[in-house]
Amino acid sequence: MIYADNAATTKLCIEAFEAMQPYLLQNYGNASQPYFFAKASKKALQNSRETIAECIGAFPNEIYFTSGGTESDNWVIKSSLFMDKKKNKIITSPIEHHAILNSCKTVQKLKIPVDFLSVDEKGVIIFDSFEQYLSKNTGLVSIMYANNEIGTIEPIPEIARIVHKYGAVFHTDAVQAVGHIPINVHASEIDLLSSSAHKFNGPKGIGFLYIKNGISMPAYIDGGSQELGLRAGTENVAAIVGMAKALKININRMDKVRIKLLNIENAFLSALQDLGLDFIRNGAENHLPGNMNISFCQADGEMLLHRLDLKGICVSTGSACDTVNTQISHVLQAIKVPKEYAKGTIRITFGADNTTQEAIEIAKSIRDILNP
Ligand code: PLP
């Protein structure tokens, strides 16, 4: 099998797995309990919080554990329901993940106004449209750090600066970015940031929301006093430990992996060209390492995915979170991919474990399917 769908999820790294084991089998105490046996769990939570904070340039008390990206995004968008009615407008982009877009739909039904910025043909926010929508009524702006389909990285520090000129709160869905590109939340003036461990070789079902000190957020899950009373529920200590371990490892090897992935990307694109395929590559020059969103002329992306699957190759069409909806994705529509190419789009996302050889094999398999 060749696994090339790392934007959908990644393999748990062995070090994270090993770090988790003691908290499942031996130190299984509830971190909220006062007795000695619970001390190891409590300490593990604190150490993990410190590690994660250090990895993104935050303070430990700004990290709130959640079940992942979807929950973190829902928390942020739905917090608008508790905002001052005169300052509760949301601004976001049309290329966000459905965790943001569908949360926006929900709050819209409850009378929260939502505006959508324009993006250019690379998926980058158009700044002119920004100033047009921002006003003193804007409470929250949510723009993703990097797009999950086309890999485009947004100019986050510049966006944050403009948002703050209008006194609004700035959130970024950094689910695809954390652990893959350098992020410093304080230096970039980010107020809220969503992240998910399974995108950076950590376990599934765990993530965090960074909430800058001084930003007031309503509780998302009511119950006990975990996560300062904002997100109640007994903590999944093992998963949190695994997340911190995986993130630290990914940050430490980030530069090496980026160089490797750029080489794989180049080999893949050269192979597609050498094999005579008619294709375009979507997304910006400044993109997530290893993310290749390719549209083939007069092809069928859905068919391509299934035929590659038969050859043991895992790739994706638009967004992996949306397999039910087989229309041209909202992202490809927003960046206006030409009609003759749009339907023939697949997303190949290489990760640290992939090789140049695998990339060339995928290219050859695509050629065999499209030009038998
Ligand atoms: N946001 C983005 C940009 C994503 O790519 C994803 C997952 O694909 C999510 C949010 C949802 O994250 P999770 O799978 O942790 O719920």
Side-chain angles (χ1 to χ4, degrees):
M1 184 188 82
I2 300 177
Y3 183 77
D5 198 19
N6 287 278
T9 197
T10 55
K11 181 173 156 186
L12 181 68
C13 73
I14 187 71
E15 294 88 345
F17 176 66
E18 284 168 358
M20 290 167 73
Q21 275 182 322
Y23 297 96
L24 293 165
L25 299 174
Q26 292 117 40
N27 298 321
Y28 53 83
N30 185 326
S32 298
Q33 292 297 55
Y35 42 71
F36 184 77
F37 179 53
K39 238 181 159 172
S41 303
K42 211 174 297 170
K43 185 97 185 78
L45 283 184
Q46 185 51 24
N47 288 346
S48 302
R49 221 182 284 282
E50 284 169 11
T51 302
I52 289 167
E54 191 194 323
C55 287
I56 63 161
F59 297 126
N61 68 349
E62 294 175 321
I63 305 298
Y64 293 77
F65 299 124
T66 66
S67 66
T70 300
E71 182 185 321
S72 298
D73 287 348
N74 269 261
W75 187 356
V76 171
I77 299 298
K78 290 173 183 173
S79 71
S80 63
L81 296 169
F82 297 87
M83 282 180 186
D84 179 346
K85 286 205 168 42
K86 291 199 197 88
K87 198 171 170 54
N88 65 359
K89 192 171 89 168
I90 296 176
I91 297 179
T92 187
S93 87
I95 61 167
E96 300 293 314
H97 188 271
H98 282 111
I100 292 288
L101 295 178
N102 288 341
S103 294
C104 283
K105 271 191 194 159
T106 297
V107 299
Q108 272 178 314
K109 282 185 206 147
L110 296 163
K111 305 270 183 290
I112 302 286
V114 181
D115 280 329
F116 293 88
L117 298 174
S118 305
V119 293
D120 66 16
E121 78 287 355
K122 304 282 183 198
V124 180
I125 295 296
I126 299 175
F127 278 79
D128 288 354
S129 75
F130 212 163
E131 300 260 9
Q132 170 192 326
Y133 284 118
L134 273 161
S135 72
K136 62 179 187 343
N137 300 329
T138 309
L140 174 73
V141 177
S142 179
I143 303 293
M144 68 204 317
Y145 212 111
N147 185 270
N148 48 304
E149 288 190 43
I150 56 175
T152 294
I153 298 171
E154 300 293 343
I156 292 298
E158 288 85 339
I159 293 172
R161 225 167 294 135
I162 297 175
V163 173
H164 289 147
K165 248 177 38 188
Y166 289 81
V169 170
F170 178 61
H171 166 250
T172 185
D173 173 345
V175 165
Q176 292 289 339
V178 170
H180 298 284
I181 54 175
I183 291 179
N184 186 308
V185 286
H186 287 171
S188 303
E189 296 183 32
I190 295 166
D191 299 316
L192 302 163
L193 174 144
S194 303
S195 180
S196 177
H198 75 100
K199 306 290 187 182
F200 53 77
N201 306 96
K204 292 170 180 54
I206 191 75
F208 64 88
L209 179 66
Y210 150 79
I211 306 177
K212 189 182 167 71
N213 284 335
I215 299 291
S216 164
M217 286 285 281
Y220 190 60
I221 297 183
D222 294 314
S225 60
Q226 295 92 350
E227 304 306 294
L228 299 180
L230 295 188
R231 202 279 185 182
T234 303
E235 302 90 344
N236 187 345
V237 178
I240 290 166
V241 167
M243 167 163 69
K245 187 77 178 177
L247 183 55
K248 182 90 185 149
I249 289 173
N250 268 27
I251 300 275
N252 287 343
R253 65 178 187 172
M254 192 182 276
D255 289 341
K256 243 166 87 185
V257 170
R258 191 183 57 239
I259 292 166
K260 178 182 177 183
L261 290 176
L262 288 179
N263 283 333
I264 293 178
E265 282 183 17
N266 288 337
F268 182 64
L269 290 174
S270 301
L272 290 180
Q273 263 151 16
D274 294 348
L275 292 163
L277 290 159
D278 182 354
F279 71 93
I280 52 173
R281 168 153 185 233
N282 304 309
E285 206 43 57
N286 188 20
H287 65 274
L288 289 170
N291 182 305
M292 308 249 79
N293 190 291
I294 310 279
S295 298
F296 295 96
C297 191
Q298 308 296 358
D300 179 345
E302 201 66 22
M303 177 276 287
L304 197 47
L305 178 146
H306 292 296
R307 296 283 300 275
L308 286 170
D309 185 24
L310 291 175
K311 290 173 181 280
I313 297 171
C314 301
V315 301
S316 167
T317 52
S319 164
C321 305
D322 200 14
T323 47
V324 178
N325 187 350
T326 55
Q327 290 170 355
I328 290 163
S329 85
H330 62 292
V331 177
L332 298 182
Q333 286 182 36
I335 63 170
K336 301 186 176 73
V337 175
K339 249 201 339 266
E340 64 276 25
Y341 286 91
K343 204 163 163 272
T345 304
I346 55 169
R347 178 189 71 177
I348 298 150
T349 44
F350 296 110
D353 288 343
N354 287 118
T355 62
T356 304
Q357 204 43 47
E358 285 178 334
I360 293 167
E361 227 172 295
I362 297 174
K364 283 185 180 154
S365 298
I366 293 172
R367 191 270 321 267
D368 292 346
I369 295 165
L370 294 182
N371 299 335

